[in-house]
């Protein structure tokens, strides 16, 4: 098991390149199931979640390799085992997004129920409702979802909204299934996240007929089959946002390469609101802070609102603001595993249900802390960069799920992060 030893406080200065999006790569890897041949995916990041998904595709019958350029090659000519095994799905909830493509390609799928995780309950009722609307028969057996559509799927007008708004992977599942359904499907209250737009663009490159991309209403004209494609995934806006906070929390300056500010307007709005400068620069931007951090309020919402995946990182930043900030988590109301750990570092956070009042303190103090989920762990690393002393972050494997060797990318800009195996 690896730990991080982080010396602080430091002031970051330099440049960091943002990798391809984990949350675009996973559903696009699932979409390769529909192609019935060899697709080539570019800019897929080297993360443990991606490795787990590669293994899952292999179990279905796909051949997953890397070419000399490091692109991911997925040959889905043969799918002879449409089963998403519990041992894999329980490790990574996103595996659920093989359900739609398997159902559309094979007429049958067995996928383990994903179960909950550190950020809270992760229901899939809207996924299943959407697939049933397309004509699938779905029942549960021993913790597995058994989905069947022996005569194929039929297009339908489907409302995919839930109590927390749209669902990202629910939209992905139904969108992928609808590409091969007979006739037209309308998905109302579709997720508008850039990762879903990227998936739709990839599916269209494979021969699908999807319009309304990026809007809450997706219209899909079913086609008989899809073909393999070559596709490059978009940059990871959550990784970019994490690096922006790294510059801000250390009162430093970072140039981010390969970062699409258009996908991050809510994030940039909050950074500028608290006194951080964000200036476009070539294919990325320069993020800097010199003065104090002003307090601000954040409410997480579906895109284009403020992303829940950056809530923890901004809480670390606001912990050092001159005044009180309020953070309301509307997507995953229990997504606060980082609160107790940041308080161990002398932050002053008070949780009231889905709301945290962040009373700014003058400084954070290093401490041994425990990583829990991917983004909470990133927040602890960011806090360690700014804290006085040596912060030890345990269970670094949580961070490796979503950030490729983060220490090797931040240390050249002035971070002092040492990875140790214990
Ligand atoms: C995706 O998860 C992301 N994961 C998450 O990022 C992200 O936090 C989340 O979207 C929200 O943006 C990937 O893309 C791999 P949802 P997803 O379905 O699709 C409720 C990270 O750190 N809901 O949009 O699973 C659900 O409980 C990860 O990279 C239902 O009620 O999230 C939640 O409250 C963590 N019924 C809300 O909707 C359903 O059937 C949004 O969840 C589905 C979801």
């Amino acid at each position: 098991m690896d730990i991080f030893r982080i010396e602080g406080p430091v002031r970051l200065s330099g440049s960091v390149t943002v990798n391809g999006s984990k949350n675009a790569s996973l559903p696009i890897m699932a979409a390769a199931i529909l192609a019935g041949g060899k697709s080539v995916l570019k800019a897929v990041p080297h993360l443990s979640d991606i490795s787990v998904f590669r293994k899952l595709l292999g179990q279905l019958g796909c051949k997953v390799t890397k070419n000399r350029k490091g692109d991911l090659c997925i040959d889905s000519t043969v799918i002879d085992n449409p089963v998403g095994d519990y041992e894999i799905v329980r490790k990574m909830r996103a595996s659920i997004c093989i359900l739609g493509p398997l159902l559309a390609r094979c007429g049958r799928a067995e996928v383990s129920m994903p179960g909950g995780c550190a950020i809270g309950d992760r229901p899939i009722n809207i996924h299943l409702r959407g697939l049933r609307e397309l004509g699938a028969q779905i029942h549960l057996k021993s913790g597995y979802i058994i989905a069947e559509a022996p005569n194929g799927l039929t297009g339908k007008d489907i409302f995919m909204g839930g109590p927390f708004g749209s669902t990202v992977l629910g939209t992905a599942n139904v969108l992928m299934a609808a590409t091969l359904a007979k006739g037209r499907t309308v998905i109302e209250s579709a997720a508008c996240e850039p990762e879903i737009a990227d998936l739709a663009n990839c599916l269209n490159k494979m021969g699908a007929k999807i319009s309304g991309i990026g809007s809450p209403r997706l219209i899909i004209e079913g086609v008989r089959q899809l073909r393999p494609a070559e596709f490059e995934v978009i940059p990871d806006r959550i990784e970019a946002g994490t690096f922006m906070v790294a510059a801000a929390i250390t009162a430093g300056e970072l140039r981010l390469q390969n970062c699409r500010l258009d996908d991050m307007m809510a994030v940039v709005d909050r950074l500028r609101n608290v006194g951080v400068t964000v200036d476009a620069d070539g294919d990325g931007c320069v993020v800097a802070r010199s003065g104090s951090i002003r307090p601000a309020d954040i409410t997480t919402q579906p895109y284009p609102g403020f992303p829940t995946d950056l809530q923890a990182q901004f809480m670390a930043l606001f912990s050092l603001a001159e005044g009180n900030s309020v953070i309301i988590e509307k997507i995953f109301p229990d997504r606060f595993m980082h609160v107790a750990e940041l308080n161990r570092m002398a932050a002053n956070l008070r949780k009231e249900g889905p709301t945290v009042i962040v009373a700014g303190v003058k400084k954070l103090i290093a401490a041994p802390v425990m990583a829990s989920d991917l983004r909470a762990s990133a927040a602890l690393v960011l806090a360690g960069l700014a804290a006085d002393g040596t912060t030890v972050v345990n269970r670094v494997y949580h961070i490796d799920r979503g950030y490729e060797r983060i220490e090797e990318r931040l240390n050249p800009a002035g971070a002092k992060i040492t990875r140790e195996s214990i």
Side-chain angles (χ1 to χ4, degrees):
M1 178 113 56
D2 286 358
I3 64 166
F4 275 159
R5 213 172 280 283
I6 307 172
E7 299 297 333
V10 296
R11 174 164 293 180
L12 296 190
S13 173
S15 66
V16 187
T17 300
V18 178
N19 284 341
S21 164
K22 165 180 85 80
N23 290 352
S25 298
L26 293 169
I28 287 171
M29 287 168 73
I33 293 169
L34 295 163
K38 186 172 177 181
S39 296
V40 179
L41 303 181
K42 297 173 175 301
V44 174
H46 308 285
L47 300 169
S48 54
D49 270 10
I50 300 294
S51 307
V52 169
F53 210 85
R54 282 183 59 169
K55 191 173 167 202
L56 179 62
L57 292 177
Q59 285 187 355
L60 303 179
C62 298
K63 288 187 181 53
V64 189
T65 55
K66 282 235 170 121
N67 65 19
R68 281 193 317 280
K69 288 179 281 185
D71 304 333
L72 199 60
C73 305
I74 301 173
D75 184 346
S76 62
T77 307
V78 173
I79 300 277
D80 52 11
N81 176 40
V83 178
D85 181 67
Y86 172 67
E87 280 312 310
I88 289 197
V89 176
R90 74 181 179 83
K91 287 188 197 121
M92 190 184 59
R93 246 199 107 268
S95 314
I96 192 65
C97 69
I98 63 171
L99 183 58
L102 279 180
L103 191 58
R105 167 80 189 269
C106 312
R108 172 179 172 74
E110 277 187 46
V111 181
S112 167
M113 285 287 279
C117 70
I119 65 178
D121 183 20
R122 307 292 293 274
I124 57 166
N125 58 311
I126 305 172
H127 298 236
L128 303 185
R129 186 176 85 205
L131 294 173
R132 284 191 173 106
E133 290 279 350
L134 291 174
Q137 288 96 42
I138 296 177
H139 66 279
L140 299 187
K141 186 177 156 214
S142 321
Y144 277 75
I145 301 152
I146 313 293
E148 291 164 314
N151 304 314
L153 299 168
T154 307
K156 190 90 177 290
D157 290 3
I158 304 170
F159 178 71
M160 289 283 291
F164 301 93
S166 48
T167 159
V168 174
L169 291 181
T171 301
N173 256 330
V174 175
L175 172 63
M176 287 189 278
T179 59
L180 296 181
K182 297 179 195 68
R184 164 180 288 205
T185 298
V186 176
I187 301 178
E188 186 58 84
S189 191
C192 302
E193 273 71 3
E195 294 76 26
I196 293 298
D198 212 30
L199 169 65
N201 288 326
C202 178
L203 288 165
N204 276 353
K205 204 167 177 195
M206 294 164 66
K209 290 186 170 33
I210 303 166
S211 56
I213 295 175
S215 84
R217 170 173 286 210
L218 294 174
I219 299 171
I220 306 103
E221 301 295 346
V223 295
R224 282 181 47 73
Q225 68 177 20
L226 296 183
R227 57 181 179 272
E230 196 169 293
F231 191 78
E232 179 166 340
V233 301
I234 55 172
D236 193 317
R237 64 192 169 101
I238 305 303
E239 178 174 89
T242 305
F243 291 149
M244 289 175 172
V245 173
I249 202 170
T250 61
E253 176 173 304
L254 278 181
R255 184 182 187 291
L256 270 58
Q257 289 160 314
N258 190 37
C259 160
R260 294 184 354 167
L261 287 183
D262 270 4
D263 292 346
M264 306 181 67
M265 292 179 75
V267 176
V268 172
D269 167 70
R270 290 298 82 193
L271 286 171
R272 288 174 174 158
N273 189 272
V274 302
V276 179
T277 59
V278 183
D279 299 311
D281 178 38
D283 72 339
C285 61
V286 176
V287 182
R289 172 175 74 91
S290 50
S292 62
I293 302 166
R294 293 191 292 269
D297 294 349
I298 281 176
T299 299
T300 65
Q301 291 166 318
Y303 192 88
F306 188 92
T308 174
D309 291 350
L310 283 168
Q311 176 256 106
Q313 299 91 319
F314 271 71
M315 191 179 291
L317 177 62
F318 288 5
S319 296
L320 290 170
E322 284 190 348
N324 292 351
S325 304
V326 178
I327 294 180
I328 304 173
E329 174 56 67
K330 290 261 192 186
I331 306 294
F332 294 110
D334 298 328
R335 191 176 196 168
F336 290 126
M337 296 289 282
H338 43 288
V339 170
E341 297 306 304
L342 288 170
N343 279 340
R344 286 176 46 73
M345 298 178 72
N348 184 351
L349 310 173
R350 186 158 58 84
K351 180 177 167 313
E352 294 286 338
T355 301
V356 171
I357 292 99
V358 184
V361 295
K362 288 247 177 292
K363 65 178 181 178
L364 295 173
I365 299 166
V369 289
M370 190 68 73
S372 52
D373 69 274
L374 165 54
R375 308 304 176 179
S377 316
L380 298 179
V381 172
L382 297 173
L385 295 175
D388 274 12
T390 304
T391 297
V392 176
V393 181
N394 293 287
R395 298 184 183 171
V396 162
Y397 63 85
H398 286 292
I399 299 167
D400 293 336
R401 291 189 55 176
Y403 299 89
E404 185 181 344
R405 311 297 294 180
I406 195 169
E407 76 277 15
E408 292 175 9
R409 296 156 73 203
L410 289 180
N411 284 348
K416 294 175 187 159
I417 305 172
T418 317
R419 182 188 289 259
E420 292 175 16
S421 295
I422 54 170

